[in-house]
Amino acid sequence: MRARSFLLATLLLSCGAEEAPTPPPTPPTSDGFSWNLPQGFPAPRVPSDNPMNRAKVELGRHLFYDKRLSGNGTFSCGSCHEQARAFTDGRGLAVGSTGQEHPRGSMSLANVGYAATLTWANPLMTTLEKQALVPMFGEDPVELGLAGQEEALFARLKAEPRYQELFPRAFPEKGAEPFDLDAVVKALGAFQRTLISGRSPYDRHLAGEKGALSEAAVRGKELFFSERLECFHCHGGFSLADSVTHEGKAIDEITFHNTGLYNLDGKGAYPAPNRGVLEVSNQAGDMGRFKAPTLRNIAVTAPYMHDGSVATLPEAIDHYAAGGRTIPSGPLAGDGSKNPYKSEFVTGFLLSEQEKLDLLAFLESLTDTAFLTNPEHADPWPAP
Ligand code: HEC
Ligand code: HEC
C-alpha cells in the first residue's frame, strides 16, 4: 500500500479550494446524449471502452430499478439506493434481498461518476463497472444474491420486451447477442454517471442569485470553509467530497481519513469488520480511515457515517466539535478524540448555538430538489 508520507503529501495537495474548472463544451453523441452539466462542473471521466449514449443510459436505468436483478425477485439496486433520499435507504446498515445485514450503510450516488474510489474504504475499487458486480454477485454479505444465477438472470432479461429493444440499441457493436454481463455493468455505469447533483440553493448562490441562501446559510457557509472548522479540507470542491476525478484531471488524489469515531482499546481500534482501509491493506496506519463522502443532499441521507452510528446532522456537528466522539460505556466505549490515527484536521472547535444553527442551515442548503425528483433518474417500470 501507499506510504504514509505519500498520503500526507496528497492530503496537503488536496487542501484549499479545488480549482474551479469550466466545463468543456460537450457535443452531443450521435444519438443525442449530452451531459447538461451544472455551472462549475467538469465532465465526468468515462472509461474508453464504455462511451456514453442515450440508449445505454436508458437501459442502465431500467436495470437499476429491475427486481429481476436479484436472486429471489424482491430487490433491485434502487431498493437500497432510493432517489428521494439521494440514492440512500434511510437505514444505518443496509439489508440485502435475503435479509442479511450489510456491515455498512448504503451510500449516496449523487455525483458518483466523479468519485475517484468507490465504497466506504476501498482504494482498489475505482470503476462503476467493477463495483456493480459486488452487489450483484457478492455472497458475504448477500445484496442482490445473483451468485451462480447468471444463466437464469439472462433468461429473465431476454424475456422482457423492453430489453429486446434496449439491449441492441445500447450496444449495436455487440451484434445479435447483446445480452451479457459486460452490457449489464456498462449500462449501469453509464446511468450512474448521469446522477449529477449541482442545482441546490447553494449552487444558485454561487452563481450569484440574490436571496438563494438565507443569511444563516451564508454564515454557515463561511464557517464550513473556515480554518476553524476545517470541513472543506475533506468535503471540498464542486462535489463537496474528497478524492474527486473528472475528465482532463491529471492526477487523482486518493485519500481516506480517520475522524475519531471510535477508540476501542485506547490505541485507536475501530470495531471489525469496519476498520476502514486497514481491512483491505492490512496496514496499521490505515485503521479507521474512510472516504469523505459528498455532503450534497446530506439533509436527506440520515443516518450518517459508514455504519449509520450518527443519527442526525446536529449530532455529526457535535462529533467534529468535540474533535472525535466519546462513547462512555458498552462494548464500543472509548474516547475517539484521542485516536492516534485521527486526521490532523479533526481537532475540535467551539460553536455558539447560533453558529451551529448557521452551519446546519448551510448543510440543508445543499439539498437539490430537482435532482431528487428528476424523472430521468426515476424508476421507469410500471407499478406492479
Ligand atoms: C443491500 C443494499 C444494496 C443494494 C441492493 C445495492 N447497494 Fe450499492 N451500496 C450499498 C452499500 C451498503 C454500499 C457501501 C458498501 C461498502 O462500503 O462496502 C453501497 C455502495 C455503492 C456504491 C459506491 C458509492 C460511492 O460513493 O462510493 C455504488 C456505486 C453502488 N453502491 C451502486 C450500486 C448498484 C449499481 C447496485 C445494483 C447493481 C447496488 N449498488 C445495489 C448497498 C446496496
Ligand atoms: C479529515 C477529513 C474530514 C474533515 C475535516 C471533516 N470530515 Fe466529515 N467526513 C469525513 C469522513 C472520512 C467521513 C466518513 C467517516 C466514517 O464513516 O467513518 C465523513 C462524514 C461526514 C458526514 C456524514 C456523511 C454521510 O454520508 O454519512 C457529515 C455530515 C460530515 N462528515 C460533515 C462534516 C462537517 C460539517 C465537517 C466540518 C465541521 C467535516 N465533516 C469535517 C472526513 C472529514
Side-chain angles (χ1 to χ4, degrees):
M1 271 295 112
R2 236 161 261 105
R4 192 176 153 70
S5 57
F6 175 73
L7 269 180
L8 206 71
T10 51
L11 191 71
L12 292 173
L13 255 180
S14 66
C15 290
E18 165 105 352
E19 78 277 26
T22 21
T26 45
T29 60
S30 54
D31 81 339
F33 175 82
S34 71
W35 287 110
N36 184 21
L37 295 168
Q39 187 165 342
F41 276 50
R45 178 166 287 162
V46 174
S48 56
D49 65 349
N50 191 18
M52 300 296 288
N53 68 50
R54 262 173 53 190
K56 208 185 279 180
V57 171
E58 191 55 8
L59 172 60
R61 177 163 77 118
H62 279 79
L63 291 167
F64 187 89
Y65 287 106
D66 192 344
K67 295 198 161 89
R68 279 168 288 210
L69 244 68
S70 59
N72 58 15
T74 61
F75 252 60
S76 69
C77 309
S79 307
C80 299
H81 297 285
E82 300 168 28
Q83 181 182 11
R85 300 178 194 266
F87 297 94
T88 60
D89 62 1
R91 294 172 179 270
L93 302 174
V95 175
S97 59
T98 58
Q100 190 180 351
E101 194 166 81
H102 196 293
R104 289 172 291 283
S106 81
M107 301 174 80
S108 168
L109 302 182
N111 300 325
V112 73
Y114 296 105
T117 69
L118 299 166
T119 69
W120 280 107
N122 187 350
L124 308 176
M125 185 63 84
T126 54
T127 69
L128 290 167
E129 288 75 6
K130 190 168 132 197
Q131 194 281 330
L133 297 169
V134 177
M136 290 177 74
F137 298 107
E139 295 185 80
D140 188 26
V142 172
E143 295 178 68
L144 295 170
L146 285 169
Q149 288 211 33
E150 252 187 74
E151 255 174 63
L153 167 67
F154 288 105
R156 287 199 292 274
L157 297 183
K158 271 184 206 169
E160 165 59 45
R162 289 197 191 187
Y163 287 139
Q164 285 291 340
E165 274 193 36
L166 285 170
F167 271 87
R169 276 219 330 256
F171 296 96
E173 69 277 14
K174 285 184 189 281
E177 259 315 311
F179 289 85
D180 62 15
L181 191 55
D182 177 71
V184 168
V185 297
K186 282 180 173 165
L188 284 169
F191 170 62
Q192 292 180 89
R193 286 190 182 95
T194 68
L195 300 178
I196 296 176
S197 176
R199 295 187 166 88
S200 64
Y202 166 63
D203 298 288
R204 299 208 305 273
H205 166 81
L206 287 184
E209 185 185 314
K210 284 230 157 22
L213 289 190
S214 65
E215 281 170 29
V218 173
R219 291 192 301 266
K221 177 189 141 199
E222 301 303 322
L223 288 167
F224 186 88
F225 288 97
S226 71
E227 299 291 344
R228 173 152 72 106
L229 269 64
E230 312 274 25
C231 315
F232 71 101
H233 285 295
C234 306
H235 304 282
F238 66 91
S239 193
L240 299 174
D242 208 355
S243 300
V244 160
T245 186
H246 53 78
E247 192 55 46
K249 186 165 185 189
I251 300 170
D252 291 342
E253 305 115 13
I254 295 185
T255 46
F256 296 90
H257 317 270
N258 178 317
T259 64
L261 281 175
Y262 295 100
N263 187 0
L264 300 186
D265 55 357
K267 290 184 261 173
Y270 270 48
N274 287 335
R275 295 170 303 167
V277 175
L278 174 114
E279 303 283 355
V280 179
S281 71
N282 262 316
Q283 301 279 312
D286 286 332
M287 176 65 87
R289 284 211 162 116
F290 289 86
K291 155 166 142 166
T294 178
L295 295 189
R296 287 186 169 277
N297 305 293
I298 194 71
V300 304
T301 68
Y304 302 107
M305 308 300 173
H306 64 272
D307 56 0
S309 60
V310 168
T312 63
L313 285 177
E315 213 180 289
I317 294 172
D318 292 344
H319 152 66
Y320 286 107
R325 176 173 65 184
T326 297
I327 300 177
S329 59
L332 300 175
D335 182 351
S337 74
K338 300 210 167 70
N339 191 309
Y341 300 107
K342 199 183 66 170
S343 161
E344 61 265 50
F345 290 122
V346 181
T347 50
F349 45 82
L350 266 177
L351 276 190
S352 69
E353 264 317 296
Q354 185 58 51
E355 285 176 320
K356 191 169 164 185
L357 291 174
D358 292 347
L359 182 58
L360 266 177
F362 169 68
L363 294 173
E364 282 161 5
S365 82
L366 303 175
T367 303
D368 176 357
T369 328
F371 173 72
L372 304 177
T373 57
N374 186 343
E376 289 175 19
H377 302 155
D379 186 346
W381 298 103

